[in-house]
Amino acid sequence: MTFRPKFVTFDCYGTLTNFDMAGAARRIYGDDLAEPDMLAFIKSFSAYRLDEVLGAWKPYADVVHNAVERTCKKHGVPFKAEDAKRIYEEVPTWGPHDDVPAGLAAVAKEIPLVILSNAMKSQIMSNVEKLGAPFFKVITAEETGTYKPQMNGFEYMLDVLGCGPEDITHVSSSFRYDLMTAHDLGIKSKVWVNRKHEPANPFYEYTEIKGIGGLPGVFGL
């Protein structure tokens, strides 16, 4: 029998929204770095953003600022605070991956949709409005006081929804930010959207889809 959850919960940036941090970095530093150096810079920038969210909560502007500053230091690139601010201010302008609106809309007709995102309230609604489907709840790290992959945000979400880990399906393109934590919290129903920015890891027991267009089929819709 196909599992029909009470809620489908989502990571937003990367999974639904085309999270173009690499492109933003290129737009600022691409003229000053050769391609191999630019690729290394982008990889470090991603790693430092993850490191920055593992401690106590701070505004996401600070996460980006600190990650850019640390990346610049590592790669011998001059750091300017206004460059980090430019990257941060790009985030609300980003739209969905092409496969997202139709797939989300199909699921939303039958199951309530929820977002749990490492975002600020002032950022995310601009991105959500571009997704093409209604959301029952949009929960941010600013609201929960913690960033994924920490567990607190997931626990907060389950409390707000009034359900247990057995009642939801969590959808993400990231193991490190979402699916590993979901696994540890006992969320059995997980969907990995293979955006090719992380390798497969079958240990975490998920259904794989190539895009959100495949999500209705997961629920037999």
Side-chain angles (χ1 to χ4, degrees):
M1 181 179 293
T2 301
F3 176 62
R4 184 70 64 91
K6 292 181 180 178
F7 301 94
V8 185
T9 62
F10 294 86
D11 166 61
C12 183
Y13 296 114
T15 302
L16 303 178
T17 295
N18 184 14
F19 192 56
D20 194 24
M21 282 290 183
R26 281 186 181 279
R27 286 184 277 278
I28 293 173
Y29 301 105
D31 291 341
D32 300 320
L33 293 171
E35 182 61 13
D37 297 327
M38 189 71 243
L39 291 173
F41 187 98
I42 288 168
K43 185 175 180 180
S44 295
F45 183 30
S46 176
Y48 281 128
R49 290 197 311 275
L50 175 60
D51 191 62
E52 284 289 328
V53 300
L54 296 177
W57 183 88
K58 51 184 171 284
Y60 196 68
D62 293 352
V63 171
V64 174
H65 177 107
N66 294 350
V68 173
E69 186 172 21
R70 295 169 73 185
T71 304
C72 286
K73 180 179 178 181
K74 179 174 182 177
H75 293 275
V77 175
F79 170 73
K80 297 178 182 177
E82 56 265 35
D83 290 339
K85 187 171 185 286
R86 280 177 57 194
I87 293 175
Y88 175 78
E89 290 177 347
E90 270 201 34
V91 175
T93 71
W94 297 336
H97 294 284
D98 291 342
D99 54 83
V100 167
L104 275 187
V107 176
K109 292 177 182 178
E110 302 293 336
I111 310 171
L113 311 182
V114 176
I115 281 174
L116 176 64
S117 178
N118 282 358
M120 301 291 286
K121 295 175 186 177
S122 60
Q123 290 178 306
I124 195 169
M125 293 317 297
S126 176
N127 303 108
V128 172
E129 288 165 3
K130 298 176 178 68
L131 296 177
F135 279 83
F136 177 75
K137 289 282 186 185
V138 177
I139 300 171
T140 67
E142 182 180 10
E143 181 180 346
T144 68
T146 188
Y147 287 106
K148 299 178 296 181
Q150 297 180 62
M151 290 184 175
N152 307 61
F154 286 90
E155 292 171 324
Y156 178 97
M157 177 180 70
L158 292 172
D159 287 344
V160 166
L161 297 178
C163 64
E166 69 279 3
D167 297 318
I168 69 170
T169 295
H170 191 67
V171 182
S172 178
S173 62
S174 176
F175 293 99
R176 298 185 77 180
Y177 278 95
D178 282 85
L179 297 178
M180 291 167 68
T181 305
H183 175 272
D184 291 344
L185 284 170
I187 298 172
K188 300 292 187 184
S189 180
K190 299 179 289 296
V191 174
W192 177 47
V193 186
N194 185 358
R195 300 284 186 203
K196 300 189 182 301
H197 53 247
E198 292 183 19
N201 195 331
F203 174 81
Y204 292 102
E205 299 178 329
Y206 51 84
T207 298
E208 178 181 346
I209 57 177
K210 293 181 179 179
I212 298 300
L215 191 59
V218 173
F219 304 116
L221 302 177

